[in-house]
Amino acid sequence: MSKRVAIVTGSSRGIGRAIAEQLAADGYSVTVNYNSSPDAAMQVVAGIENAGGEAIAVQANVSSEQGRSQLIQDTLAKWNRLDVLVNNAGITSPGRLDILEATSENWDLVLGTNLKGPFFLTQDAANQMLSQIEEGTIPAGKIINLSSLSSYASSPNRADYCIAKAGLAMMTQLFADRLGNEHIQVFEVCPGIIATDMTGPVKEKYDLQIAEGLTPIKRWGQPEDVAKAVSAICADYFPFSTGQRINVDGGFHLRRL
Ligand SMILES: NC(=O)c1ccc[n+]([C@@H]2O[C@H](COP(=O)([O-])OP(=O)(O)OC[C@H]3O[C@@H](n4cnc5c(N)ncnc54)[C@H](OP(=O)(O)O)[C@@H]3O)[C@@H](O)[C@H]2O)c1
């Protein structure tokens, strides 16, 4: 059987990049999706190829229907199969405005990228996987959604982001339910505070909070920590699980006294 194929959205940088590199090292052919960083995406592809793996870079804005369709079409044109979709692309709340000042423009941007995009890309990918499972060209499919501790921890200056991530958690359960008996597993991977460009502007705040014991495991998460969780799912170590949230957060989610 030919190599399995994964699409990782937003894999030019940060967590997505680490996931793309890990899956390529695991033997997947990988579509490296980017929106506005072509050079970074090409570097990821070159790194994967230099290590003996296979990858292509595809420019696509996941919030647009045309972008989502391009992503799937280019992947199929190259490898003619799709086994895994990782919905990783995401943006933080522009300006981190207080909930009483939040704007509908930001709402549309954040919800469009972080929730509507993944929802309809999952729909497209699931339909593609279902047709391939039926014709026997792939044995099963996996869809992995990158949520956030913001799906349950309140930050009133990032309401759009929190609501989008809470929606992504329910989206995972909905697709897991619908696809459970169709050989497609759906998982939520829930990162804590991870060192990437996204958290760069608030690094000092989190440095202090982590040092003061915000998380039982007292360190920043790294993109590779998240990539390993995705790798374990894709390696079929959870054959009788679906709809599961897997926290990669140093224990942030624990309620403590
Ligand atoms: N960092 C954290 O602490 C943390 C914690 C919890 C959850 N998360 C989630 O983990 C995911 C990755 O976060 P990160 O920290 O790695 O972010 P990041 O470093 O800011 O990277 C974001 C990635 O998403 C891509 N992207 C943004 N908008 C896109 C769009 N419309 N279409 C396609 N790609 C798009 C970017 O591509 P271009 O550069 O090409 O535009 C980039 O590759 C996000 O969903 C985020 O919400 C992060």
Side-chain angles (χ1 to χ4, degrees):
M1 181 166 305
S2 53
K3 287 171 78 164
R4 291 200 281 182
V5 172
I7 294 175
V8 184
T9 68
S11 45
S12 50
R13 298 183 284 116
I15 294 171
R17 174 183 182 150
I19 294 171
E21 290 172 345
Q22 178 67 56
L23 291 184
D26 293 345
Y28 279 81
S29 302
V30 181
T31 295
V32 173
N33 160 241
Y34 66 98
N35 185 31
S36 57
S37 308
D39 294 347
M42 297 310 167
Q43 272 180 28
V44 178
V45 170
I48 288 173
E49 288 175 345
N50 289 339
E54 276 188 359
I56 56 169
V58 176
Q59 194 285 329
N61 181 342
V62 295
S63 71
S64 93
E65 194 174 333
Q66 189 270 334
R68 294 188 292 271
S69 145
Q70 190 74 49
L71 199 45
I72 300 217
Q73 273 173 33
D74 286 5
T75 302
L76 295 176
K78 178 73 179 171
W79 292 299
N80 202 28
R81 62 185 283 166
L82 177 61
D83 301 80
V84 169
L85 167 67
V86 183
N87 280 309
N88 166 80
I91 53 170
T92 193
S93 185
R96 293 181 174 239
L97 302 176
D98 179 79
I99 195 167
L100 297 180
E101 310 294 333
T103 66
S104 67
E105 289 78 14
N106 283 355
W107 174 279
D108 289 343
L109 183 66
V110 174
L111 273 284
T113 307
N114 294 5
L115 184 57
K116 182 180 171 189
F119 182 94
F120 287 102
L121 187 58
T122 296
Q123 188 186 69
D124 291 346
N127 281 315
Q128 175 61 33
M129 288 173 187
L130 284 173
S131 69
Q132 292 181 257
I133 290 166
E134 202 172 308
E135 70 192 21
T137 48
I138 64 167
K142 287 188 180 55
I143 294 164
I144 300 164
N145 300 317
L146 272 286
S147 67
S148 168
L149 51 76
S150 297
S151 63
Y152 60 86
S154 162
S155 296
N157 64 341
R158 290 185 297 137
D160 39 18
Y161 185 82
C162 293
I163 291 166
K165 292 298 185 181
L168 204 60
M170 174 49 83
M171 185 191 116
T172 301
Q173 295 182 44
L174 290 164
F175 278 108
D177 183 7
R178 174 62 181 81
L179 300 169
N181 207 33
E182 311 253 24
H183 307 288
I184 300 177
Q185 295 168 282
V186 187
F187 291 90
E188 174 191 347
V189 169
C190 188
I193 298 168
I194 312 293
T196 67
D197 293 345
M198 187 179 277
T199 46
V202 280
K203 181 176 180 307
E204 279 178 22
K205 172 186 155 187
Y206 288 145
D207 278 345
L208 195 63
Q209 290 186 341
I210 291 167
E212 285 172 349
L214 179 71
T215 49
I217 301 176
K218 273 191 177 184
R219 69 164 172 86
W220 278 78
Q222 297 300 320
E224 291 72 23
D225 293 319
V226 185
K228 282 180 182 158
V230 172
S231 172
I233 294 169
C234 293
D236 291 326
Y237 285 120
F238 300 96
F240 195 47
S241 306
T242 196
Q244 194 69 31
R245 166 182 290 169
I246 298 177
N247 292 299
V248 186
D249 64 353
F252 175 92
H253 67 282
L254 297 169
R255 299 183 76 158
R256 292 186 286 165
L257 269 177

